[in-house]
Amino acid sequence: MRGNAVYQAFVRARTKVGVDIAFHDLRHTGQSLAAAAGATLADLKKRLGHSSTAAANRYLHALDGRDAEVAKALSELAHRANSAQITPTRTREG
């Protein structure tokens, strides 16, 4: 298989269905969805082989509706009224 065979197949499929996206857009979408699903920065770095935090950080942009989820979680923490009970399950840094 030639080095650009996957890309050529992508271009043919893209033309056939009439969408105008770049091949790299698929990579970005996959990482953005992983971040939305809760992937940590370390997870994102490993998924694409990034050694740079800045490179992986590009996929951690805010998603519509996420602010409501964060607000709900903060309200639940406040409802407990005991900061000693707050135990983070994981951070964005992994």
Side-chain angles (χ1 to χ4, degrees), residues 7-45:
Y7 176 75
Q8 289 176 357
F10 170 74
V11 170
R12 286 192 302 274
R14 175 183 71 185
T15 302
K16 190 170 189 168
V17 297
V19 296
D20 185 26
I21 61 171
F23 189 71
H24 187 78
D25 292 339
L26 300 176
R27 178 179 167 105
H28 186 89
T29 299
Q31 283 293 86
S32 296
L33 291 172
T40 65
L41 189 56
D43 296 332
L44 296 174
K45 286 169 66 172

Side-chain angles (χ1 to χ4, degrees), residues 4-94:
N4 66 348
V6 173
Y7 176 75
Q8 289 176 357
F10 170 74
V11 170
R12 286 192 302 274
R14 175 183 71 185
T15 302
K16 190 170 189 168
V17 297
V19 296
D20 185 26
I21 61 171
F23 189 71
H24 187 78
D25 292 339
L26 300 176
R27 178 179 167 105
H28 186 89
T29 299
Q31 283 293 86
S32 296
L33 291 172
T40 65
L41 189 56
D43 296 332
L44 296 174
K45 286 169 66 172
K46 183 176 180 179
R47 288 174 57 85
L48 291 184
H50 290 148
S51 58
S52 161
T53 297
N57 215 11
R58 292 184 188 116
Y59 305 102
L60 292 176
H61 46 73
L63 299 171
D64 288 340
R66 184 74 177 126
D67 55 336
E69 292 176 36
V70 171
K72 181 180 177 191
L74 290 171
S75 292
E76 290 171 3
L77 288 175
H79 182 70
R80 290 186 205 160
N82 183 349
S83 61
Q85 293 177 343
I86 299 172
T87 55
T89 55
R90 61 183 183 171
T91 66
R92 283 299 218 191
E93 290 294 324

